């Protein structure tokens, strides 16, 4: 389905292949449903723009009236998968969430040459093994953002493309849902939206704009709410 919202972003609906079984069970049990969002500045929020965790919390609460849904923001700016992995025990597992959203990859591309793609991939693989091994939570991995800081620098773009491939391979092998933020944002540009509309206008041109953040959050919330029902 394609339309245009007030910010000029084409409306896109994304579907997940795997059911969010634990998240749905938690909602149906009418108990507090906890979601942990783990990641870097895209998760933590930056430049006075409300980040996606607070936005999807509001959207999920509105769509599930009567259910208590908390989305815990566990983002720390500048981190990548290995640093985030070191926080799993305290920031993720201790919270006993029904759903974990793990945002990875952007800082690896932005700091190409500092992070090793192999190390980022290995950390993601280990982390997903821990999360899926608990059998008590669902997992969504969110990949890179498509902004000028990455796209307009050839070495960063090459790194980003490689990270996309690696993230897809690891999530496929782990059987977890991948939220393809990169493809979503690139698709907006391919549809005619200027690349400049995707970042917040600061000098680094890395972080998403208000409208881009709002639209990414809306697509993610919709995908969570319409995830396929578990096979009984």
């Amino acid at each position: 389905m394609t339309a245009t919202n007030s910010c000029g972003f084409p409306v896109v609906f994304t579907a997940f292949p795997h059911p969010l079984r634990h998240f749905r069970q938690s909602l149906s049990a009418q108990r507090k449903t906890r979601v942990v969002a783990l990641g870097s500045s895209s998760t933590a929020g930056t430049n006075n723009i409300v980040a996606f965790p607070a936005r999807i919390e509001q959207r999920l609460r509105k769509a599930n009236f009567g259910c208590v849904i908390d989305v815990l923001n566990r983002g720390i700016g500048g981190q990548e998968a290995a640093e985030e992995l070191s926080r799993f025990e305290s920031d993720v597992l201790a919270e006993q969430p029904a759903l974990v959203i793990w945002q990875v990859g952007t800082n690896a591309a932005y700091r190409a040459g500092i992070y090793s793609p192999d190390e980022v991939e290995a950390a993601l693989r280990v982390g997903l093994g821990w999360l899926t091994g608990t059998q008590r939570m669902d997992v969504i991995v969110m990949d890179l953002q498509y902004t000028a800081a990455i796209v307009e620098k050839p070495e960063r773009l090459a790194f980003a493309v490689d990270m996309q491939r690696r993230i897809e391979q690891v999530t496929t092998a782990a059987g977890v849902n991948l939220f393809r933020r990169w493809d979503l944002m690139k698709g907006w540009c391919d549809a005619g939206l200027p690349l400049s509309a995707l970042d917040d206008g600061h000098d680094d041109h890395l972080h998403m704009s208000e409208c881009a953040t709002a639209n990414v959050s809306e697509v993610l919330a919709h995908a969570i709410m319409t995830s396929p029902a578990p096979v009984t």
Side-chain angles (χ1 to χ4, degrees):
M1 178 178 178
T2 301
T4 304
N5 64 20
S6 58
C7 292
F9 282 65
V11 175
V12 178
F13 296 135
T14 295
F16 288 139
H18 305 296
L20 299 177
R21 179 176 294 105
H22 302 287
F23 180 73
R24 283 187 173 227
Q25 287 175 347
S26 182
L27 289 179
S28 64
Q30 295 292 307
R31 64 175 187 268
K32 179 180 286 189
T33 297
R34 190 166 287 172
V35 179
V36 168
L38 181 72
S40 57
S41 56
S42 290
T43 304
T46 187
N47 299 329
N48 296 317
I49 292 176
V50 177
F52 79 86
R55 294 174 188 267
I56 64 169
E57 178 183 81
Q58 183 180 46
R59 185 73 174 83
L60 293 174
R61 286 179 175 180
K62 184 176 180 180
N64 297 276
F65 184 76
C67 295
V68 179
I69 303 173
D70 290 335
V71 180
L72 307 181
N73 190 327
R74 296 295 181 262
I76 296 179
Q79 289 197 342
E80 195 39 90
E83 294 99 327
E84 292 152 8
L85 183 63
S86 71
R87 300 192 280 119
F88 263 43
E89 186 63 43
S90 60
D91 286 4
V92 181
L93 302 179
E95 300 293 354
Q96 299 183 320
L99 172 64
V100 176
I101 304 169
W102 190 6
Q103 170 254 314
V104 297
T106 296
N107 281 318
Y110 185 61
R111 298 188 172 100
I114 296 177
Y115 286 102
S116 160
D118 291 338
E119 291 176 355
V120 174
E121 178 182 348
L124 179 61
R125 194 180 304 277
V126 169
L128 291 183
W130 290 352
L131 294 177
T132 59
T134 67
Q135 300 299 312
R136 296 192 301 272
M137 63 187 74
D138 299 309
V139 183
I140 297 169
V141 173
M142 176 189 289
D143 62 15
L144 291 71
Q145 63 219 43
Y146 189 89
T147 52
I150 307 297
V151 175
E152 294 184 341
K153 299 289 185 180
E155 70 279 7
R156 290 175 180 168
L157 179 58
F159 201 117
V161 171
D162 183 40
M163 282 308 308
Q164 289 296 106
R165 177 184 61 81
R166 291 169 182 262
I167 291 170
E168 181 172 14
Q169 288 178 344
V170 173
T171 54
T172 298
V176 303
N177 289 305
L178 173 59
F179 181 66
R180 301 174 186 273
R181 178 172 54 157
W182 178 273
D183 289 344
L184 172 65
M185 297 178 71
K186 183 178 184 298
W188 287 330
C189 285
D190 291 344
L193 196 72
L195 182 62
S196 60
L198 300 184
D199 73 67
D200 60 11
H202 284 245
D203 290 344
D204 56 12
H205 297 288
L206 174 64
H207 299 105
M208 293 193 301
S209 66
E210 169 71 28
C211 280
T213 302
N215 280 275
V216 165
S217 302
E218 182 65 24
V219 175
L220 175 57
H222 181 270
I224 292 172
M225 291 185 293
T226 59
S227 62
V231 177
T232 58

